[in-house]
């Protein structure tokens, strides 16, 4: 280890900022999973019979599946009977009708997280759906959205108010049997956001869901569904945090996106779940299935993610490019520090003619963490003249971390062009020396180099969040070098 | 301002500097010449604080302070600037961002506030033109994809922006064509003033036609073996290092 | 799920009692391992794309037949290897200073220690089958400082259906140099299956040039493993011509175990009709300051299928590693398929690694350029397609072999009417 490395390492030491626990009375199911739990969960949400049937069907599928073992991550087997599948802050009736009825403790929680829900302090231009453990707390700017014809509400609400849309699209992109965690989510999903953008509408606000796990020993299984009709446009952002706890908590979400002709969905994630402590105790297991279907001609789905949290990340936001001329994009920065493990990447499935996809993945490994890129680019025989460009770069900080690249490229069409480039390098002593010789200390130098490395991805984030992401990266890197 | 006494340094357990003495006063320009492998670059790197080089004897005093005891960045903030022989590339970090961070660090060190953004841009544009580089270079990554000559000019540009009190030029002239050499020389001459000093390490006398030094030193075998005025350089050029009983050993340059 | 140990060909196998006792123990252990392994399926990660090509292994029978020889490189040492075994008498007739040739059956137990030791690296189903079932093997030893000028050509001959398991061990002592060419001649009939294994231990500062040509076929199946273990400052250069068959797979595994070693892996793959070829390469950088370069170019036409899985694995202590891998692919038909997976697995921090992979078609600008010079569209495409692979063939260090490869490829890639 060089001297400069050591200096940088010493500079980097800050605690997880969002690790506090909200003291609030909750109604939480006792841990355990069986048909009865699913029936109770469904009853809690007053769900119609068809929804319950759908869940039970998924549960059957899940029971017949096995945990996936192919990912480049290590963790003890999860006992699914040791997890509570429902937890919600206690409230008088079915749920708050307005913000005034929301428990002030909850409002304080979100304020502390930098997501004020009060009318006066709200983020300008961003509508927020706040999900606390298993339920949605509130959704801001509902009126303005309704005016534009946009539906943005908790998915539990959509089940009642828009059953035809839910029946049609839920599970249409990520089928129940898609994978182990998706099946589990289908059986026990608690809440999440539902977005519907009608034909020709450009959503007037950025939409955002803020997920918070609070209760101990609970899993969070949110479900998000976004439908963009012809010529519509929406930008959606999700953020996530959780308290610091010594035991691991499971987060198994499913996100489905549907884009019709000429529609565009931009989905950004700033993921900052609790990553566990330096020794690797605690932290969130983030096992998420995210997939978008570009059904319509010239539709576009763009995933941007900044991943700094979670003990283990297992996540591959994907695009199924069915519509002619449709476009899929994936921009990702995944930073792992201490004992974190990340196995993340994307799948681009080209089915339609002239479909295009771009993958830019930046992995940064520090401490004794392990970061893997795993991606699939598949060109079906029908995907005439399709193109993919993939670039995945890894940056290593320190000598105990690992960076891995596992790209799968499958091509069955001769007119398609697939390009893949990957590099791995480290922050070099020479670079640090040059910066220091110009009066810039090692910490600043590393953060500058890292930000430069991630620039291509940050520029894809909505403005408000690009700044957040940059800061988040700095915090997460603290204590990493050496 | 700079007083080097009996300096000894090694790299990878090989002794390079073997008792070097040099005194530089404010306003002076010193040229250090010598055959390859004599320790010229080692001297520059040791003064800047490169930790690949181990100092195993002697002292260096800079403005009354122990230079060897200072961190790399503190030396820079106190006004020591090294123009690198092989400037490294830093992809993704723009020249502008890099310079602004550097300047603000130096200003903070001096107890001054951050530089005004407009003022900074004005200066940066002026200086980049002064070294004959297109202003678009400001937005590019530090040295990223620059040619050899462009990298050297970028070093001089940084020097003009940071206005150091002691500028050390490590073979900045090597590999430059005559036009680029003029640009570099003009830059250094522009910086010359009674409250600054310059130490130029060079292998070629040609540079000294453009920057006239006050003193010329010959470095060989890790020591300064001869010092004189600018006429010493001419004599060297004429007679070669053989005149001093030295061989140009190209292989062992550190 | 069929256990490999339950295959008829495995159950029927009888150990060759003429082999040294240590080798027999090794084979018995391998046989035991076969009961823990199953016939690969699509779910077996390293057989993901090729398992369906394996055919019905339960129908395989033992094969032992005689040998025929063809000479194709002048001034070379020819050694025939068949299922019937190694002709020890013929080996002893070859006289070349610094070169020792022996059959496994001629070895003493002490001579076997390196073979036993290196078997530790074995993995994968086909390798275990080879180790469990081989009848005899060939040992090539090059003495310290010896430079064997003439190439050593190993002819693997299989004239009929059944499973053959050729086995070769090559050892180069310090600063030795040699060129080994593996040539496979396998009867193109259904049920012909060859599972070969070659291990090379390359000593300090020694250099092995390794060439391998897989024959063209439509019915036979071949699965081979080549493993090179590099010591300090050792050098390994390989050139592989891969022509397709019903199932063809080559695993190339390079271990750079000491400082300063270098390897260069080149491969050209061309498949047509319903052929298949699967290359799995792995370069393990175990020690620091080693460099590796890899270039594979593949062309798939008609209904054929090519798989490339290239992995660079950098161990924790392999600082100052330089690794480069490049895989370029041309798909000439919409019914053909190419799957590529260039992997980097890196545990050291001071490394520079890059890999690139492309799948595409000919550059239309280049086609256009040639046409403006008077070439027909067909000529232009043919020329560019051939040029795409010839770039690598020209790096083959034996001129006469390079010419033959060029000839073979020209014929294969000339366009249909």
């Amino acid at each position: 280890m060089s001297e400069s490395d050591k200096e940088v390492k010493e500079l980097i030491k800050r605690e997880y900022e969002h690790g506090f626990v909200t003291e609030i009375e909750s109604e939480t199911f006792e841990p355990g999973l069986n048909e009865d739990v699913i029936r109770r969960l469904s009853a809690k949400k007053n769900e119609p019979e068809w929804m319950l049937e759908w869940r039970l069907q998924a549960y059957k599928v899940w029971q017949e599946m096995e945990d996936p073992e192919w990912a480049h991550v290590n963790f003890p087997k999860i006992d699914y009977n040791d997890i509570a599948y429902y937890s919600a802050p206690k409230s008088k009736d079915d749920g708050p009708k307005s913000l005034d009825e929301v428990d002030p403790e909850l409002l304080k929680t979100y304020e502390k997280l930098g997501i004020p829900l009060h009318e006066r302090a709200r983020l300008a231009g961003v509508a927020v759906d706040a999900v606390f453990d298993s339920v949605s707390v509130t959704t801001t700017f509902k009126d303005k959205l309704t005016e534009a014809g946009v539906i943005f509400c908790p998915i539990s609400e959509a089940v009642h108010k828009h059953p035809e849309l839910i029946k049609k699209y839920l599970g249409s992109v990520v089928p129940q049997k898609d994978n182990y965690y998706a099946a589990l989510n289908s059986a026990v999903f608690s809440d999440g956001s539902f977005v519907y953008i009608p034909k020709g509408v450009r959503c007037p606000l950025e939409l955002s869901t803020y997920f918070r796990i609070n209760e101990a020993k609970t899993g969070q299984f949110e479900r998000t569904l976004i439908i963009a009709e012809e010529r519509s446009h929406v930008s959606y952002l999700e953020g996530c945090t959780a308290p610091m706890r010594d035991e691991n908590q499971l987060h198994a979400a499913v996100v489905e996106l549907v884009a019709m002709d000429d529609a565009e969905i931009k989905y950004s994630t700033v993921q900052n779940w609790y990553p566990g402590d330096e020794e690797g105790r605690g932290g969130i297991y983030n096992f998420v299935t995210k997939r978008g279907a570009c059904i319509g001609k010239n539709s576009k789905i763009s995933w941007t993610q900044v991943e700094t949290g979670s003990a283990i990340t297992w996540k591959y936001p994907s695009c199924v490019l069915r519509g002619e001329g449709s476009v899929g994009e994936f921009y990702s920065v995944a930073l792992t520090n201490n004992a974190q493990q990340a196995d993340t990447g994307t799948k681009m499935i080209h089915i339609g003619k002239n479909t295009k996809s771009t993958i830019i993945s930046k992995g940064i490994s520090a401490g004794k963490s392990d970061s893997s890129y795993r991606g699939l680019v598949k060109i079906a025989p029908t995907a005439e003249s399709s193109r993919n460009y993939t670039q995945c770069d890894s940056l290593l900080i320190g000598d105990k971390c690992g960076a891995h690249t596992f790209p799968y490229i499958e091509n069955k069409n001769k007119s398609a062009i697939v390009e893949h480039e990957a590099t791995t390098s480290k922050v070099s002593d020479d670079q640090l020396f040059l910066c220091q010789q110009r009066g810039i200390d090692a910490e600043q130098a590393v953060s500058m180099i890292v930000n430069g490395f991630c620039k291509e991805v940050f520029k894809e984030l909505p403005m408000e969040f690009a700044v957040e992401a940059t800061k988040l990266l700095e915090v997460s890197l603290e204590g990493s070098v050496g | 301002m700079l007083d080097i006494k009996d300096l000894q340094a090694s790299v990878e357990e090989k002794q390079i500097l073997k008792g070097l003495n040099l005194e530089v006063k404010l306003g002076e320009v010193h040229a250090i010449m010598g055959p390859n492998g004599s320790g010229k670059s080692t001297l520059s790197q040791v003064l800047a604080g490169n930790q690949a080089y181990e100092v195993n004897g002697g002292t260096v005093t800079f403005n009354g302070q122990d230079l060897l005891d200072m961190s790399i960045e503190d030396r820079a903030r106190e006004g020591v600037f090294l123009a690198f022989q092989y400037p490294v590339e830093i992809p993704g970090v723009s020249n502008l961002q890099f310079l602004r961070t550097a300047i603000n660090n130096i200003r903070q060190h001096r107890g001054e506030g951050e530089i005004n953004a407009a003022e900074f841009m004005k200066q940066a544009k002026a200086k980049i033109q002064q070294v004959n580089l297109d202003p678009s270079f400001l937005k590019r990554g530090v040295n990223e994809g620059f040619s050899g000559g462009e990298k050297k000019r970028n070093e001089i540009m940084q020097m003009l922006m940071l206005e150091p009190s002691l500028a050390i030029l490590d073979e900045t002239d090597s590999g430059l064509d005559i036009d680029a050499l003029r640009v570099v020389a003009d830059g250094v001459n522009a910086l010359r003033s009674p409250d600054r000093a310059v130490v130029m390490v060079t292998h070629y006398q040609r540079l000294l036609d453009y920057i006239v030094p006050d003193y010329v030193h010959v470095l060989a075998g890790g020591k300064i073996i001869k010092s004189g005025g600018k006429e010493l350089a001419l004599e060297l050029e004429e007679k070669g290092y053989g005149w001093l009983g030295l061989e140009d050993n190209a292989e062992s340059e550190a | 799920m069929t256990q490999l140990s339950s295959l008829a060909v495995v159950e029927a196998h009888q150990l060759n009692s003429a082999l040294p006792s240590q080798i027999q123990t090794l084979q018995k252990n391998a046989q035991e391992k076969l009961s823990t392994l199953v016939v690969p399926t699509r779910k077996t990660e390293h057989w993901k794309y090729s398992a369906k090509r394996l055919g019905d292994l339960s129908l395989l029978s033992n094969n032992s037949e005689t040998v025929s020889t063809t000479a194709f490189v002048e001034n070379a040492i020819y050694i025939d290897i068949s299922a019937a075994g190694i002709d020890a008498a013929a080996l002893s007739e070859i006289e070349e200073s610094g070169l020792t040739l022996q059959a496994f059956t001629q070895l003493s137990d002490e001579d076997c220690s390196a073979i036993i030791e290196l078997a530790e690296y074995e993995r994968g189903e086909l390798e275990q089958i080879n180790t469990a079932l081989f009848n005899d093997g060939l040992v090539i030893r090059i003495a310290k400082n010896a430079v064997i000028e003439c190439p050593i050509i190993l002819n693997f001959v299989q004239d009929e259906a059944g499973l053959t398991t050729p086995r070769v061990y090559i050892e180069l002592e310090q600063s030795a140099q040699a060129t080994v060419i593996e040539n496979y001649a396998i009867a193109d009939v259904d049920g012909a299956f060859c599972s070969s294994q070659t291990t090379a231990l390359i000593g300090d500062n020694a250099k092995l040039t390794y060439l391998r040509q897989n024959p063209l076929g439509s019915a036979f199946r071949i699965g081979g493993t080549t493993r090179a273990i590099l010591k300090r400052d050792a050098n390994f250069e390989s050139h592989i011509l891969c022509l397709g068959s019903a199932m063809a797979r080559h695993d190339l595994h390079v271990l750079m175990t000491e400082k300063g070693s270098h390897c260069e892996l080149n491969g050209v793959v061309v498949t047509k009709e319903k052929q298949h070829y699967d290359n799995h390469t792995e370069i393990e950088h175990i020690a620091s300051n080693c460099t590796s370069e890899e270039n594979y170019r593949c062309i798939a036409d008609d209904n054929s299928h090519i798989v490339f899985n290239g992995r660079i694995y950098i161990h924790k202590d392999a600082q100052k590693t330089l690794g480069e891998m490049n895989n370029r692919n041309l798909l000439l038909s919409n019914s053909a398929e190419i799957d590529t997976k260039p992997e980097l697995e890196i545990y050291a921090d001071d490394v520079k690694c890059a890999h690139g992979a492309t799948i595409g078609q000919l550059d239309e600008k280049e086609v256009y350029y040639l046409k403006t010079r008077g070439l027909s569209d067909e000529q232009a495409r043919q020329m560019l397609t051939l040029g795409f692979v010839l770039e690598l063939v020209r790096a083959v260090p034996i001129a006469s072999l390079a010419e033959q490869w060029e000839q073979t490829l020209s014929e294969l890639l000339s366009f249909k009417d």
Side-chain angles (χ1 to χ4, degrees), chain C residues 373-387:
Chain C
R373 296 293 177 267
L375 274 75
S376 71
D377 190 74
E378 195 182 302
Q379 280 175 319
R381 285 175 198 281
Q382 192 177 331
M383 187 177 282
L384 291 170
T385 307
L386 191 59

Side-chain angles (χ1 to χ4, degrees), chain C residues 270-290:
Chain C
V270 176
T271 60
K272 300 182 81 167
E273 293 159 6
K274 287 182 172 169
Q275 293 158 10
H276 161 272
Y277 207 108
D278 182 342
N279 271 303
H280 268 62
T281 69
E282 173 162 0
I283 301 171
E284 274 191 70
H285 283 266
I286 299 166
S288 66
N289 295 82
C290 296

Side-chain angles (χ1 to χ4, degrees), chain A residues 65-78 80 178-181 287 312-314 316 341 343 372 374 406 408, chain C residues 1 43-45 311 341 345:
Chain A
M65 295 175 90
E66 280 177 39
D67 298 37
E69 278 173 357
W70 43 262
H72 199 95
V73 293
N74 278 310
F75 58 93
K77 241 183 158 36
I78 297 171
Y80 291 92
D178 187 79
N179 68 69
Y180 190 74
Y181 302 113
F287 302 154
I312 299 176
T313 302
W314 180 99
Y316 316 90
Q341 308 172 54
D343 193 303
S372 303
R374 187 182 304 276
F406 306 103
Y408 296 70
Chain C
M1 301 253 259
K43 292 250 165 97
T44 317
E45 180 66 22
R311 168 193 273 207
K341 190 180 169 206
E345 197 158 338

Side-chain angles (χ1 to χ4, degrees), chain A residues 36-247:
Chain A
D36 189 46
V37 167
I38 293 168
R39 283 178 198 282
R40 275 169 62 207
L41 175 75
S42 184
K44 263 277 163 236
K45 293 182 169 285
N46 249 329
E47 284 178 352
E49 188 61 24
W50 59 266
M51 194 67 249
L52 174 64
E53 284 307 315
W54 198 81
R55 288 177 182 275
L56 292 173
Q57 171 67 30
Y59 180 64
K60 267 192 208 122
V61 169
W62 178 73
Q63 280 180 310
E64 283 162 17
M65 295 175 90
E66 280 177 39
D67 298 37
E69 278 173 357
W70 43 262
H72 199 95
V73 293
N74 278 310
F75 58 93
K77 241 183 158 36
I78 297 171
D79 181 355
Y80 291 92
N81 278 317
D82 200 28
I83 296 171
Y85 291 84
Y86 183 81
S87 175
K90 267 193 180 156
S91 61
K92 283 177 231 94
D93 38 48
D94 289 351
K97 296 283 177 292
S98 76
L99 215 53
D100 302 335
E101 290 177 33
V102 175
D103 190 313
E105 268 305 312
L106 279 178
L107 294 181
K108 255 194 252 165
T109 299
Y110 281 90
E111 214 142 299
K112 241 169 134 177
L113 295 169
I115 315 286
L117 300 173
H118 283 294
E119 201 76 53
R120 56 190 149 77
R122 283 175 191 171
L123 294 170
V126 183
V128 179
D129 182 18
V131 177
F132 192 85
D133 288 333
S134 303
V135 292
S136 171
V137 175
T138 186
T139 309
T140 62
F141 288 113
K142 263 192 169 162
D143 304 347
K144 195 169 175 189
L145 292 171
T146 312
E147 216 172 281
V150 172
I151 305 170
F152 179 39
C153 66
I155 202 157
S156 50
E157 189 181 318
V159 168
H160 293 283
K161 290 190 178 163
H162 312 282
E164 68 299 340
L165 289 172
I166 298 289
K167 275 186 196 165
K168 186 168 173 192
Y169 291 110
L170 191 71
S172 69
V173 185
V174 180
Q176 294 179 338
K177 61 174 184 298
D178 187 79
N179 68 69
Y180 190 74
Y181 302 113
L184 177 64
N185 174 287
S186 301
V188 302
F189 75 86
S190 37
D191 219 334
S193 299
F194 174 76
V195 177
Y196 178 82
I197 318 285
K199 271 187 194 175
V201 171
R202 205 182 164 86
C203 185
L205 296 165
E206 296 268 351
L207 303 184
S208 169
T209 303
Y210 198 88
F211 296 101
R212 173 77 178 167
I213 297 180
N214 188 62
E215 195 63 29
K217 287 222 161 210
T218 56
Q220 186 162 22
F221 305 93
E222 88 263 4
R223 184 111 194 169
T224 299
L225 175 59
I226 300 179
I227 301 152
E229 291 285 6
E230 285 169 37
R231 301 185 315 285
S232 68
H233 178 285
V234 62
S235 171
Y236 178 93
L237 185 123
E238 61 172 1
C240 356
T241 58
M244 289 161 68
R245 294 190 191 279
D246 275 347
E247 77 268 18

Side-chain angles (χ1 to χ4, degrees), chain B residues 111-125:
Chain B
E112 298 167 11
E114 289 204 351
I115 189 165
N116 170 289
E119 175 58 26
F120 170 75
M121 272 310 291
K122 209 175 103 194
Q123 276 192 32
K125 277 191 184 152

Side-chain angles (χ1 to χ4, degrees), chain B residues 8 33 60 62 64 83 107 128 140 156 235 239 253:
Chain B
Q8 297 169 40
M33 305 189 65
V60 179
F62 179 67
R107 290 173 70 105
I128 198 105
R140 286 171 58 177
I156 297 301
E235 215 170 335
K239 299 180 183 166
E253 178 80 350

